[in-house]
Amino acid sequence: MSLVSLALPAIRVYWIGFRVVLHQLLRRLLRPGWPLKPVFPLQNGNVAIVTGGTRGIGYHTVKYLARLGMHVIIAGNKEKEGQETVMKIKEEALNAKVEFLYCDLASMKSIHQFVQAFKAKNYPLHVLINNAAVMLVPERKTEDGFEEHFGINYMGHFLLTNLLLETLKQSGTHSHNARIVTLSSATHYVAELRLNDLQSSCLYSPHGAYAQSKLALVMSAYRLQHLLTAEGSHVTVNVVDPGVVNTDLYQNVCWAAKMVKWMTGWLLLKNPEEGASTSIYAAVSPELEGVGACYLCNEQRTKSADVSYDEELQKRLWTESCRLIGIPDTAP
C-alpha cells in the first residue's frame, strides 16, 4: 500500500471541499442576504420520516417541516437525545406533531424493527428524507459486517427505503407524489465506485470510503427513479447536496482542517439551518411536484458526476445491494 494511494483520496476530497467553500463565500459576498427563506405551502396531514433528525441539518429539517404542519417521525439511534429533541421542537412550535422512533442504520435488524414499528401506527408516508451519515471514521465495520461509511450512509438507507417503498407508493397520488430525498455530497464528484471492493477492504481510505458511499447514494437514487417511473408509481426520488455545513460531522478531519474550521467556519461554512434549506425545498417545493432524478444544490438543479449517469453501473450497484441485504431484485 503506497503513500500516494492513501493520500490521493484525501487530496481529492479536500480539493472539492475547498472549491465548494469558495463558491459559498462568493455567493455570500455577491448576494447579500443569501440564502433567502422561501415560503412553502402548509403540509397539514402529510407524514415524513427524517433519519438523523436530532441535530445539525436533520434537526432544522424536522423543525421546519413541523412548522409547516407536517407530522414528522425522527429516526435516530439515541433514544434520550431523540426524546429531548421532540420536546424542544414542541416547545418552539406550538401544535407541532413530532415523534421519535429508534433506528440504528448500522443494524439491519434495527431497521426492520423500525419499519415494523412505523407500519404498526398505520400512518401514510409522504416524504422520506435519508439524512443521517458518518464521515471520515476510522476503519471499522457495522454489526452486519459492512464497512461503516458504506453500511450506514448507503446500505442502511438503501434497506430503509426499500422497506418503506410500498407505503410511499400507496401514499402518493397523481396530483401529490410521495417524495424520497437523499442527502449526498460534493465529494461524490471525486469518488470511485469499486463494485469489486465496496467494503474498501483492499485499500482503506476514510476519505475514499466516504466519497464512494455518497456516489452510491446518487446512483441508486437515479436507478430507483427509473424503476418507479417504469411502473407508473407516484413517487419521486431526488438527491440533495447541502454544501459544506458547520456540523459535528467534522470531528474526524485532520487537525489542520479542524483549526481552519474553528477560525473561519462562521464565514466560509453554512450553518445547519442554511444547510437544511435544500432538503426542505426537495421535500415540499411545488416546483418539484412530479419531478425526480434531480441533483439539487442551493435549491437549484445541477449536474452530478458523469459516472452517476452510467445506467449499466447503476443497475449493477442496485443488484449487488439487493444481494447484500437479502432482498429480491425484481427489476428488469
Side-chain angles (χ1 to χ4, degrees), residues 8 34 40 49 55 84 96-97 102 105 117 125-126 148 164 175 185 189 203 206-207 210 230 237 281:
L8 195 56
W34 175 83
F40 295 118
I49 292 175
R55 59 176 67 183
E84 289 173 351
K97 294 182 179 179
Y102 184 86
L105 289 169
L125 180 59
H126 302 94
E148 195 164 303
L164 291 170
S175 59
S185 154
Y189 286 106
L203 177 64
H207 301 82
Y210 174 73
V237 191
Y281 172 77

Side-chain angles (χ1 to χ4, degrees), residues 250-301:
Y250 296 88
Q251 59 188 344
N252 292 305
V253 299
C254 67
W255 67 267
K258 285 182 179 178
M259 184 62 68
V260 171
K261 175 178 175 289
W262 178 73
M263 294 174 61
T264 64
W266 61 275
L267 175 65
L268 301 179
L269 277 59
K270 294 181 182 181
N271 62 45
E273 185 175 6
E274 292 169 339
S277 63
T278 306
S279 296
I280 296 164
Y281 172 77
V284 299
S285 174
E287 295 176 14
L288 289 176
E289 179 56 50
V291 179
C294 293
Y295 188 83
L296 304 165
C297 184
N298 298 321
E299 299 170 35
Q300 295 178 338
R301 303 179 205 180

